């Protein structure tokens, strides 16, 4: 597993314990749309028993900034997305001319 990924993504119990927040608080943030799937958390599988993994650094940033510095949190999200391998621009030659 990529070290950068491992440094920021944790299973539910581990992440929540590190941040000192409850499972119900996390579920409420997901339900009310405060935490964005694919940004703050990801579901592994489908259905109600899907395992959830959390992006520790972005949730920590959200906890510290969502009220006092929302623009700063938006920058943190942009930086995270830019760090993903999928953000690398590739030149793709179109077969259509």
């Amino acid at each position: 597993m990529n070290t950068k990924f491992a440094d920021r993504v944790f299973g539910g119990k581990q992440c929540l314990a590190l941040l000192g927040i409850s499972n119900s608080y996390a579920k409420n943030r997901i339900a009310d749309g405060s935490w964005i799937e694919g940004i703050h958390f990801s579901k592994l599988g489908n259905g109600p028993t899907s395992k959830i993994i959390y992006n520790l650094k972005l949730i920590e940033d959200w906890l510290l900034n969502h009220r006092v510095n929302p623009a700063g949190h938006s920058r943190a999200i942009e930086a995270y997305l830019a760090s993903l391998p999928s953000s690398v621009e590739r030149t793709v030659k179109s077969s259509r001319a």
Side-chain angles (χ1 to χ4, degrees), residues 16 21-32 35 54:
L16 302 178
I21 58 178
S22 69
N23 189 47
S24 63
Y25 181 86
K27 285 183 177 186
N28 287 337
R29 297 301 66 80
I30 291 169
D32 71 15
W35 292 352
Y54 297 94

Side-chain angles (χ1 to χ4, degrees), residues 11-89:
K13 290 180 184 178
Q14 185 181 15
C15 179
L16 302 178
L18 287 169
L19 294 170
I21 58 178
S22 69
N23 189 47
S24 63
Y25 181 86
K27 285 183 177 186
N28 287 337
R29 297 301 66 80
I30 291 169
D32 71 15
S34 296
W35 292 352
I36 304 164
E37 187 169 0
I39 302 292
H40 299 97
F41 72 96
S42 293
K43 291 182 180 179
L44 303 177
N46 296 318
T49 60
S50 298
K51 179 177 172 127
I52 296 177
I53 57 173
Y54 297 94
N55 186 317
L56 177 67
K57 290 185 180 184
L58 282 180
I59 291 176
E60 180 180 38
D61 188 85
W62 182 87
L63 288 167
L64 296 171
N65 289 306
H66 78 282
R67 290 186 185 174
V68 297
N69 186 10
H73 184 61
S74 293
R75 286 190 301 275
I77 290 171
E78 290 170 13
Y80 163 71
L81 292 173
S83 75
L84 296 176
S86 59
S87 72
V88 176
E89 289 187 34

